Amino acid sequence: MSCAQIPFGKCLCGRTASTGEIYFTDHIDDSHEITYESIIPHGHYCVPIMLGGRILGVLNIYVKEGHRRNQREEEFLSAIGNVLAGIINHKRTEEEMAVLQDQLRQSQKMEAIGQLTGGVAHDFNNLLTVIKGYSQLSLMQLNEGNPLRGKIEEIQKAADRAASLTRQLLAFSRRQVMEMRVLDLNAILGDLDKMLQRIIGEDIELRTVLAEDLGRVRADPGQIEQVIINLAVNAKDAMPNGGKLTIETANVDLDEEYARNHVAVTLGRYVMLAVSDTGVGMVPEIRERIFEPFFTTKEKGMGTGLGLSTVYGIVKQSGGNIWVYSEPGHGTTFKIYLPQVDEPPEEMVEKVMKEELPRGSETILIVEDNEEVRKLAMSVLEKQGYNVLEASNGDDALHLPKERKESVHLILVDVVMPGISGRQLVEQFKEVCRDCKVLYMSGYTENGIVHHGILEKGMNYIQKPFSVDGLARKVREVLDH
């Protein structure tokens, strides 16, 4: 055994490390409690290297056999130990600061990319609403055998793929609207078990290690399912020849030391979700970029590069943190920490969709500054029997009921508009029409009806780009509520 590796409590150095006291002996030979090769009889001092009551190491000084213990020597060696403690602490602090600075740079870079992608996704959503809506309306008016039908279906498929990309961009930029529920992650994993088995295939073993007394978290159930599925897909791709996927849950307390070494972490009780694979692992250069949108190591056409960036955005918007640990040839582990809440889980209610689109005869006021989106919404709702009024801004909307002298049953309003916002318009409109129902629509969440992307309780909301049936069903749902 080497003197550099002594168990606590063993030998003089081990006792010094355990007690923080100086130990001295004037004679050590091959009968010593830990055997070393070719030991020469000698004496030695073991001096603690301590800082703030914490042992950092032990200073081992060899002396001649028979050397007498000397107080001045002990004081001198203690002083050396204190100097070494300061040097070690300074070095550790420098290393910790370098790690935190790297984390901060990465966080700021992700924030900047998020601002850009969120803005682009918002603009695209208005365009996609129009493309999706009119293609769906056209299909509803064409017979099965019409030669145009196949072409319009391809347009709709392309629009759906584009809408999926914008949703992922919004998730990464933390502008996705989330409907938060108190959840039991173990229950969600149980519901996903069969789907995960299908995703990873027969060559990969799925192992779950779930804490029995797992705490609750507040998150959007659909988004959390997306996180788990995306991580499972990523793990599958990292194990082309098979392997093991382990999903673990646990209650953890993130303490001051952890927070000191991880930027943006708040102390407290968390639920940890860990997803580990035995795959190829990653070099540091790739590991640093895996959460960036459109970054992928796959061949062209094999992936969008948005899977892990979506995971990152959902976790951050849920008030959590995500860290990745990986080495080439030794697999990868993603650890997600979500804050615990002391509330019982909320029951999940499945909505039953009727085949036929709901109809109505109520009066609906559409307020939307984008003319194409406004005209589309009018076409959809008029087709379903509603009496529809339109306005391109808040000022016009406030005058309409007075001019028309008719009651408005529901106002469908865009949240972000020139002049007064959708929220401000509704507050003023309620003074004229108290019983009017409200349905907000928007392409992203940086607005007045959500806080940090979390939908306020009691708010009715439809996400752009919406479909024809999605709008018809949501309007009827709000009117009937």
Side-chain angles (χ1 to χ4, degrees):
M1 179 176 284
S2 164
C3 256
Q5 295 175 324
I6 302 292
F8 273 81
K10 279 271 189 182
C11 187
L12 295 187
C13 289
R15 288 177 210 147
T16 296
S18 298
T19 65
E21 297 176 4
I22 294 177
Y23 278 84
F24 170 81
T25 182
D26 62 359
H27 177 77
I28 288 179
D29 57 22
D30 55 11
S31 63
H32 191 51
E33 62 183 291
I34 294 179
T35 305
Y36 305 98
E37 290 182 15
S38 308
I39 191 168
I40 299 171
H42 64 279
H44 70 181
Y45 283 100
C46 289
V47 181
I49 302 172
M50 297 179 68
L51 187 73
R54 189 162 59 104
I55 290 283
L56 304 179
V58 175
L59 178 62
N60 191 6
I61 304 294
Y62 282 44
V63 295
K64 285 183 179 180
E65 184 183 20
H67 183 85
R68 290 188 177 181
R69 189 166 188 165
N70 184 308
Q71 186 176 347
R72 289 184 64 189
E73 285 179 349
E74 285 189 17
E75 290 171 354
F76 176 69
L77 293 173
S78 291
I80 292 176
N82 292 335
V83 171
L84 289 173
I87 293 169
I88 292 169
N89 184 62
H90 180 70
K91 182 67 176 172
R92 283 185 178 178
T93 303
E94 280 186 338
E95 290 170 354
E96 287 172 1
M97 283 296 294
V99 170
L100 287 173
Q101 283 171 352
D102 283 343
Q103 290 178 6
L104 183 60
R105 272 195 296 270
Q106 183 72 1
S107 175
Q108 289 170 336
K109 179 174 74 173
M110 299 292 272
E111 189 67 33
I113 296 171
Q115 296 254 347
L116 174 65
T117 54
V120 170
H122 173 245
D123 292 338
F124 263 88
N125 270 332
N126 277 337
L127 298 171
L128 289 170
T129 299
V130 176
I131 295 168
K132 277 170 62 76
Y134 280 116
S135 63
Q136 197 173 355
L137 281 175
S138 299
L139 286 172
M140 291 166 72
Q141 294 167 6
L142 292 175
N143 297 326
E144 284 295 330
N146 194 301
L148 287 174
R149 193 173 183 86
K151 294 180 176 65
I152 294 174
E153 283 173 345
E154 288 303 314
I155 292 171
Q156 193 165 33
K157 287 177 188 174
D160 287 339
R161 286 196 296 273
S164 175
L165 288 175
T166 60
R167 274 195 301 274
Q168 291 177 77
L169 286 172
L170 287 171
F172 167 73
S173 59
R174 289 172 257 172
R175 287 175 169 84
Q176 186 91 304
V177 173
M178 302 178 83
E179 296 192 42
M180 308 299 262
R181 300 277 188 277
V182 178
L183 305 175
D184 177 356
L185 286 187
N186 285 352
I188 287 181
L189 286 166
D191 292 341
L192 285 177
D193 185 70
K194 288 182 180 176
M195 182 188 289
L196 293 175
Q197 293 280 4
R198 286 197 299 272
I199 288 170
I200 62 177
E202 295 178 356
D203 293 339
I204 296 173
E205 176 192 348
L206 176 61
R207 182 169 171 261
T208 54
V209 184
L210 309 181
E212 290 183 9
D213 58 343
L214 192 67
R216 309 295 183 234
V217 299
R218 182 176 281 106
D220 184 313
Q223 301 285 353
I224 291 298
E225 286 179 358
Q226 190 67 59
V227 165
I228 295 165
I229 289 167
N230 285 13
L231 290 177
V233 169
N234 186 74
K236 174 182 178 285
D237 293 341
M239 298 183 284
N241 301 315
K244 184 189 291 183
L245 171 63
T246 303
I247 300 178
E248 179 186 359
T249 60
N251 296 317
V252 296
D253 286 307
L254 297 186
D255 57 17
E256 196 171 332
E257 185 174 351
Y258 186 90
R260 193 167 57 242
N261 294 315
H262 295 81
V263 72
V265 168
T266 305
L267 309 184
R269 296 181 303 129
Y270 288 78
V271 170
M272 182 198 72
L273 171 67
V275 179
S276 305
D277 65 61
T278 57
V280 294
M282 291 178 277
V283 295
E285 293 78 15
I286 290 176
R287 191 175 66 236
E288 287 170 7
R289 298 191 61 195
I290 55 166
F291 294 126
E292 293 179 18
F294 303 115
F295 176 76
T296 180
T297 57
K298 297 174 188 172
E299 294 177 21
K300 193 174 181 181
M302 295 298 289
T304 62
L306 286 171
L308 291 177
S309 60
T310 300
V311 168
Y312 176 88
I314 291 171
V315 171
K316 286 290 187 181
Q317 197 172 345
S318 302
N321 289 287
I322 180 168
W323 307 98
V324 59
Y325 309 87
S326 185
E327 288 184 26
H330 291 88
T332 299
T333 295
F334 289 90
K335 287 188 176 181
I336 293 168
Y337 298 95
L338 297 172
Q340 279 194 39
V341 295
D342 293 321
E343 297 175 42
E346 296 178 37
E347 190 178 347
M348 306 302 295
V349 180
E350 278 192 43
K351 292 180 182 176
V352 179
M353 291 287 188
K354 294 179 181 176
E355 194 67 34
E356 191 178 325
L357 287 185
R359 299 179 62 80
S361 58
E362 293 93 338
T363 298
I364 297 173
L365 170 59
I366 299 173
V367 189
E368 163 66 69
D369 62 302
N370 185 293
E371 186 179 2
E372 290 87 355
V373 175
R374 189 173 69 250
K375 296 297 183 189
L376 169 67
M378 286 183 67
S379 298
V380 172
L381 296 175
E382 284 175 343
K383 189 173 184 299
Q384 297 311 114
Y386 298 101
N387 177 36
V388 182
L389 308 176
E390 64 168 314
S392 61
N393 57 66
D395 291 331
D396 289 350
L398 288 169
H399 291 112
L400 262 177
K402 297 173 186 174
E403 293 170 2
R404 296 291 188 97
K405 293 182 181 178
E406 56 184 308
S407 296
V408 173
H409 299 94
L410 181 142
I411 177 169
L412 174 63
V413 58
D414 190 19
V415 181
V416 182
M417 295 186 298
I420 63 173
S421 69
R423 183 68 177 270
Q424 291 169 327
L425 167 62
V426 168
E427 287 171 0
Q428 293 181 43
F429 201 85
K430 285 282 188 178
E431 295 174 9
V432 182
C433 183
R434 283 186 188 173
D435 297 328
C436 179
K437 305 284 180 70
V438 180
L439 175 57
Y440 292 101
M441 56 181 168
S442 184
Y444 75 141
T445 68
E446 199 167 76
N447 51 56
I449 65 161
V450 291
H451 292 297
H452 306 295
I454 298 166
L455 192 63
E456 286 185 19
K457 268 199 169 178
M459 291 289 182
N460 299 305
Y461 175 83
I462 186 167
Q463 174 89 37
K464 293 179 183 176
F466 48 74
S467 61
V468 168
D469 57 343
L471 178 60
R473 293 184 196 284
K474 191 67 182 179
V475 164
R476 189 69 260 166
E477 177 191 315
V478 174
L479 284 168
D480 291 341
H481 186 64

